[in-house]
Amino acid sequence: MLVGIDVGGTKAAGVLVDMISGTVIDSQRAASNGSGSDLVTTLVGIVDSFAERSDKPISAVGLAIAGLVERSGMVRWSPNLPSAVDYPVASEVSQALGLPVATVNDATAAALAESHLGAGRGCDDFALVTLGTGIGAGLVSGGRLLYGAHGFAGEPGHSVLVADGPTHMTGQNGPWEFFASGNALGRMGREAKLGTTGEDVVAALAAGNDLAAEVFDSWCLEVARGLVNLIVILDLERVILGGGLVSVGEPLRAGVESWLGQLLPGALARPPVGVFLAELGDEAGARGAALLAEEGQACAT
Amino acid sequence: MLVGIDVGGTKAAGVLVDMISGTVIDSQRAASNGSGSDLVTTLVGIVDSFAERSDKPISAVGLAIAGLVERSGMVRWSPNLPSAVDYPVASEVSQALGLPVATVNDATAAALAESHLGAGRGCDDFALVTLGTGIGAGLVSGGRLLYGAHGFAGEPGHSVLVADGPTHMTGQNGPWEFFASGNALGRMGREAKLGTTGEDVVAALAAGNDLAAEVFDSWCLEVARGLVNLIVILDLERVILGGGLVSVGEPLRAGVESWLGQLLPGALARPPVGVFLAELGDEAGARGAALLAEEGQACAT
């Protein structure tokens, strides 16, 4: 059996996965707040209680973490989970359990899970782009996950779409995340007096509000703009949209696909790029971390 | 022996490479104008005359072509070499010679050559970015060349840095190539009344002209802006600058590196990215094509 845990800013969500079938046998959540040492105790507790309830032994653990995760397993930057930054979470969990622990960026883990079990099946060149509070990505090229030199690959939210544009919370001017995250949709909704959050725009869209449809379409254009840059660099066959905004469903997929067709250069020479919705929901990160633990890849400690 | 030929818009430049040592034994150029059929005759002629002058047999041929080159070997888009587009150049050359022929994008080939023999040695994650009339790139991630779904990976010149920016010859608004190609340097030089071409700015820079230094520094900023987007997506360890502008040397390398350090987000968490000059000059594409022919990879026909 394998354990994968998606370690977020407020909660750690674990799954117990059968190695043969890949199915999720058990799942569990716990608060992830407190110090680095508290976090280790929480994660060890999740694995221990899976072990108590399972009739087969656990052989490895994978941790999916939002932030810059080094291939060594160390988290170097994580605005949502400061307790894990520069703290030896993986090695302490490994020591406490006597098991190998792999650590990986959450979007990279989700891309692996979608590749094996979801919307990326049978596709060797795709990006999973998570549209939530921010923007994250996991990249598959030539059938392999891209980690980059330090494990930091797949941060297109920080790519700049408007040089000298508005200043984002990261200090950058005009990054994709400023224009196309869930937070950006909320800002566009406030400007149109549709509510205060991205969820308000989504609710008005679902209720058939015309102004909401217009705002949402403008936001889909911003999503497509960043995807164009990913596609011309990586020559993707598919784009898979994940994260909280996937709840919008087909209007999201169709809106982004339509703008992409209009913006992509060399469209006559290039086969169209398919836009898909992620299939694994909020378990993708944890399931991908379990897969990586099995493969012993990523940042095994 | 292997033959690599860099097939450009005006000339085809071939090298004969020893398979054991990797050294260039012979080289040859010919005009590349005319129809697709003329181009085939030219390329066969280059290989035939290498064969006449060599005491060992030639086992494979590689073609490096500027444009969108499908993994099948077909060129789908090439503004500089329209005769090759949708014409079965590789298969006709292969039939005429009775040899396998691999076809690949010229910047991808150059990246492979720099990886084995030049500024990319010992580095698993780098981009070779060619700064010439336009901007091209060859990408290495995790020690492997990236081809993408159709062989079109590495076209960051078409990534957009200023949405709704000035219209480029490709019809896109605000792509990197508009701001940071050799043509862009020429435009900036004309605006500053330093001459008519990028070469004029480079000559004035070499002569110690202060205004030229200022213009060149502004252009290095534009180069760095596009590199930031490549780096946050691919987590590169190195950037290797190639193409005609490499003749500028250290001022180019240092100018780009300085701006990159100021623009790269998460700089505290991320080790600095090294900026290097390409080492193989204008033979890189042909030598890389020969290496690919040897590996039988890319788009063997």
Side-chain angles (χ1 to χ4, degrees):
Chain A
M1 308 293 272
L2 299 161
V3 172
I5 309 178
D6 196 340
V7 191
T10 56
K11 65 175 193 298
V15 293
L16 180 69
V17 176
D18 182 86
M19 287 174 72
I20 311 296
S21 66
T23 52
V24 173
I25 306 291
D26 197 354
S27 66
Q28 206 185 138
R29 296 185 171 215
S32 61
N33 50 346
S35 67
S37 164
D38 295 338
L39 182 61
V40 169
T41 305
T42 301
L43 299 175
V44 169
I46 289 176
V47 179
D48 277 343
S49 69
F50 278 141
E52 281 165 24
R53 279 145 45 181
S54 168
D55 51 359
K56 291 189 231 165
I58 290 165
S59 57
V61 174
L63 306 177
I65 296 180
L68 295 185
V69 180
E70 267 190 5
R71 306 237 22 199
S72 69
M74 285 295 275
V75 179
R76 291 304 181 194
W77 188 74
S78 181
N80 295 323
L81 197 69
S83 62
V85 174
D86 295 332
Y87 190 90
V89 175
S91 71
E92 290 196 3
V93 171
S94 177
Q95 280 189 323
L97 294 168
L99 291 174
V101 175
T103 315
V104 66
N105 171 271
D106 60 344
T108 303
L112 182 68
E114 293 288 344
S115 171
H116 285 233
L117 307 162
R121 273 173 302 197
C123 181
D124 280 346
D125 295 271
F126 73 86
L128 169 75
V129 174
T130 60
L131 302 166
T133 312
I135 294 180
L139 307 174
V140 171
S141 182
R144 294 195 329 164
L145 275 179
L146 298 188
Y147 290 100
H150 315 96
F152 302 166
E155 298 288 339
H158 305 309
S159 69
V160 171
L161 296 197
V162 182
D164 299 323
T167 304
H168 189 46
M169 60 173 77
T170 55
Q172 286 187 294
N173 291 319
W176 189 25
E177 192 170 86
F178 180 86
F179 300 105
S181 63
N183 278 349
L185 182 61
R187 187 184 64 243
M188 293 166 78
R190 286 193 295 281
E191 286 165 6
K193 305 200 186 307
L194 279 166
T196 56
T197 66
E199 284 82 357
D200 294 335
V201 179
V202 168
L205 178 75
N209 181 311
D210 286 345
L211 180 59
E214 209 176 290
V215 167
F216 189 76
D217 189 56
S218 301
W219 177 81
C220 285
L221 163 60
E222 301 297 342
V223 173
R225 281 185 161 143
L227 294 177
V228 164
N229 288 4
L230 273 178
I231 291 166
V232 299
I233 290 169
L234 291 169
D235 183 20
L236 302 172
E237 181 186 342
R238 286 185 198 172
V239 169
I240 302 174
L241 302 177
L245 267 300
V246 167
S247 65
V248 173
E250 178 60 16
L252 169 68
R253 197 203 63 73
V256 170
E257 189 172 68
S258 165
W259 280 117
L260 202 53
Q262 294 175 58
L263 293 176
L264 206 55
L268 292 176
R270 183 192 296 276
V273 177
V275 178
F276 293 73
L277 298 173
E279 293 178 2
L280 300 179
D282 60 6
E283 278 187 346
R287 292 176 75 172
L291 284 168
L292 277 171
E294 179 177 23
E295 296 181 11
Q297 283 181 7
C299 322
T301 302
Chain B
M1 309 292 272
L2 299 161
V3 172
I5 310 179
D6 197 339
V7 191
T10 54
K11 66 176 191 299
V15 292
L16 179 70
V17 176
D18 182 85
M19 287 174 72
I20 311 296
S21 65
T23 51
V24 174
I25 306 292
D26 197 355
S27 66
Q28 206 183 139
R29 298 184 169 213
S32 61
N33 51 346
S35 67
S37 164
D38 294 338
L39 182 61
V40 169
T41 304
T42 301
L43 298 176
V44 170
I46 289 176
V47 180
D48 278 342
S49 68
F50 278 141
E52 282 165 27
R53 277 145 45 180
S54 168
D55 50 359
K56 290 189 232 165
I58 291 165
S59 57
V61 174
L63 305 177
I65 296 180
L68 296 184
V69 180
E70 268 190 4
R71 306 230 33 192
S72 69
M74 285 294 275
V75 179
R76 292 304 181 194
W77 189 74
S78 181
N80 294 324
L81 197 68
S83 62
V85 174
D86 294 332
Y87 189 90
V89 174
S91 71
E92 291 197 2
V93 171
S94 177
Q95 281 189 322
L97 294 168
L99 292 174
V101 175
T103 315
V104 67
N105 171 271
D106 59 344
T108 304
L112 181 68
E114 292 288 343
S115 170
H116 285 234
L117 307 162
R121 272 172 302 196
C123 180
D124 280 348
D125 295 271
F126 72 86
L128 169 75
V129 175
T130 59
L131 303 166
T133 311
I135 295 181
L139 307 174
V140 171
S141 181
R144 292 195 331 164
L145 274 178
L146 299 188
Y147 290 100
H150 315 96
F152 303 166
E155 297 287 339
H158 305 309
S159 68
V160 171
L161 296 197
V162 181
D164 300 323
T167 305
H168 189 47
M169 60 173 77
T170 56
Q172 287 187 293
N173 291 319
W176 189 25
E177 191 171 86
F178 180 86
F179 300 106
S181 62
N183 278 347
L185 182 61
R187 187 183 63 243
M188 293 165 78
R190 286 193 295 279
E191 287 165 8
K193 306 200 186 306
L194 278 166
T196 56
T197 66
E199 284 81 358
D200 294 334
V201 179
V202 167
L205 178 75
N209 180 310
D210 286 346
L211 180 59
E214 210 175 288
V215 167
F216 189 76
D217 189 56
S218 302
W219 178 81
C220 286
L221 163 60
E222 302 297 341
V223 174
R225 280 184 161 143
L227 294 178
V228 164
N229 288 4
L230 274 178
I231 291 166
V232 298
I233 290 168
L234 292 169
D235 182 21
L236 303 172
E237 182 187 342
R238 287 186 197 171
V239 169
I240 301 174
L241 303 176
L245 267 300
V246 167
S247 65
V248 174
E250 178 60 17
L252 169 68
R253 197 203 63 74
V256 170
E257 189 173 68
S258 165
W259 280 115
L260 202 53
Q262 294 175 58
L263 293 175
L264 205 56
L268 293 176
R270 183 193 295 277
V273 177
V275 178
F276 293 72
L277 299 174
E279 294 177 5
L280 300 180
D282 60 6
E283 278 188 345
R287 292 177 75 172
L291 285 167
L292 278 168
E294 179 176 23
E295 295 180 12
Q297 282 181 7
C299 321
T301 300

